[in-house]
Amino acid sequence: MSGNKKINFSSGPAALPPEVLQEASEAIINYNNTGLSILELQHRGKYFEAINDESRTLVKELCGLGDDYEVLWLQGGGRLQFAMIPMNFLGEHESAGFIDSGFWAHNAAEYAAHYGNAITLSSSESDHYRHLPEWPASIPEDLSYLHFTTNNTIYGTQFPNVPKTNVPLIADMSSDILSRKTDYSNCAMFYAVAQKNIGAAGITLVAVNKYLLGNIKRKLPPMLDYKAHADARSLLNTAAVFGVYTSLLTLRWIKQKGIDVIETENNRKAALLYNEIERNSIFHSNIKKEDRSKMNVCFGTENKEIDTAFTEFCSKQNITGIDGHRYVGSFRVSLYNAIPLTAVEKMVSVMQEFEHEYLKAR
Ligand code: PMP
């Protein structure tokens, strides 16, 4: 990698491990000594079939899923999942439950309302999503499914685990998939856009229990029907070959490190940054301590002027991608798996230097 490589704390598309970037870039010129670029590989040829199969098997292995799950790589991002889930699993006169922990969770419910009843069981919207909503004490038995978002990318909150539920549980894990050990098989389905923890933008991982596939509510064109994608082993249309390959490389990297090690590192990274936010007199976090995300650390300063000065200060230190989401403002430092501890140490020292300079100038 060239010498000007930045420390990228972007929320997504996000930093990828350098090993993945290296191997992916070599494959663009000559994939595995085949004399072909990965960009030229046929999606129905033997080379891509092997990539597709290995990637789907690795997801199962890393998430501890049995053969009762289908793993798919779909296109259309998280938002298409917001639509496909109710299209497939919510009948017109049926209800689905939603835990409203933030913008994306809310959006998923809005999409579902086009197809059936979308019932919000719990929400922290009135507190600007500064804490997690309560997990509902009881979940109505007649819901077709319950949807929740494990990590709130925009406001920076995260559920501690994936609970067992009495109705099929569907989880949007876009911003914390494979960042920690969790009970993936408590979900009847979970999904994650690739561009945060498991690859590049353009594909979405879907893992769905086969029993749900027997329960599709309406006739759908194949591209919108999970069963058609599963029957085609995720090769219904031209696969996003390079995207799936980049995810395969990232999954291999995760496997080699081990989820235990990744989780320990992620805990350390988050603790280091939150401790500095608590200590530093310039920065503060409005997010309830127990609910804070280990993936997206959101914080602010007293006013916009200081925000701008800090952004410039970081930029001079080669740090980028720290702007908060446009709905929230201030700062968001994303600490996905590919961010090394050293990058967070650097961030903390820059925050300390900034405090020092700022107090001196005042
Ligand atoms: N869910 C979550 C948790 C997200 O963070 C995002 C986007 N960052 C989405 C869904 C939407 O994904 P997309 O932009 O691919 O539609």
Side-chain angles (χ1 to χ4, degrees), residues 77-79 82 104 149 151 153 172 174-175 193 195-196:
R79 288 168 177 86
F82 296 169
W104 298 114
T149 307
N151 180 72
T153 325
D172 177 354
S174 291
S175 47
V193 298
Q195 65 266 24
K196 299 171 192 296

Side-chain angles (χ1 to χ4, degrees), residues 58-126:
L58 254 181
V59 169
K60 281 194 187 176
E61 185 184 326
L62 292 169
C63 296
L65 304 177
D67 285 337
D68 45 344
Y69 282 81
E70 293 281 1
V71 174
L72 312 170
W73 294 113
L74 301 185
Q75 296 165 38
R79 288 168 177 86
L80 187 60
Q81 294 313 304
F82 296 169
M84 275 178 75
I85 293 164
M87 271 183 211
N88 281 261
F89 306 129
L90 180 60
E92 200 183 333
H93 302 293
E94 294 178 358
S95 301
F98 290 82
I99 313 277
D100 177 19
S101 58
F103 177 80
W104 298 114
H106 196 92
N107 212 211
E110 284 175 347
Y111 273 61
H114 289 268
Y115 299 95
N117 302 317
I119 301 176
T120 298
L121 297 181
S122 174
S123 172
S124 52
E125 186 181 13
S126 58

Side-chain angles (χ1 to χ4, degrees), residues 324-345:
H325 187 273
R326 61 189 187 279
Y327 293 159
V328 180
S330 294
F331 301 107
R332 169 175 51 173
V333 170
S334 297
L335 303 178
Y336 302 128
N337 293 346
I339 299 290
L341 183 66
T342 49
V344 187
E345 286 167 348

